[in-house]
Amino acid sequence: MRCVCPRCGKGRLYKGFLTVADVCEVCGLDLCKQDTGDGPAVFLIFILGFLVVPVALWVSMHAEWPLWLHTLVWGTLILGLALGMLRPAKAYMIALQYRYRRHDYEGPAA
């Protein structure tokens, strides 16, 4: 969740917003082999949908907001939460991949 190297816990995991660094600057772990794909984004879609849609429906039933205000409020909220949670979610998926498929990162055991 801290977006650091899964092996040493000290080096930066990202070199951009979502661009994973090639190698850990502290321990030298080759991070090029990670492959999270669309997993973090899909999980966030389900989680945010589960959390935000009931609140939006409740507000819609109890307040007389115009449609443009619903679009502005819920669109901004979902976009902000998704962008804020995407880096930690991707880091978590990389850490899980390192933990359970370490041989992909470090090569075959000798």
Side-chain angles (χ1 to χ4, degrees), residues 11-99:
R12 292 184 312 145
L13 186 60
Y14 297 109
K15 63 181 175 184
F17 182 67
L18 286 175
T19 308
V20 178
D22 297 329
V23 228
C24 174
E25 66 228 9
V26 176
C27 69
L29 177 65
D30 184 15
L31 296 167
C32 291
K33 298 176 183 174
Q34 65 81 25
D35 181 28
T36 59
D38 293 334
V42 171
F43 289 136
L44 284 179
I45 288 170
F46 286 125
I47 291 167
L48 290 176
F50 179 76
L51 295 175
V52 174
V53 169
V55 176
L57 289 173
W58 184 85
V59 168
S60 179
M61 289 188 288
H62 290 86
E64 293 296 325
W65 288 2
L67 189 56
W68 65 267
L69 186 58
H70 279 286
T71 304
L72 184 69
V73 168
W74 304 118
T76 304
L77 180 69
I78 289 174
L79 184 63
L81 287 172
L83 290 175
M85 295 171 65
L86 196 53
R87 279 176 59 106
K90 187 171 181 173
Y92 184 67
M93 293 288 288
I94 291 171
L96 286 175
Q97 185 179 14
Y98 177 75
R99 180 176 181 176

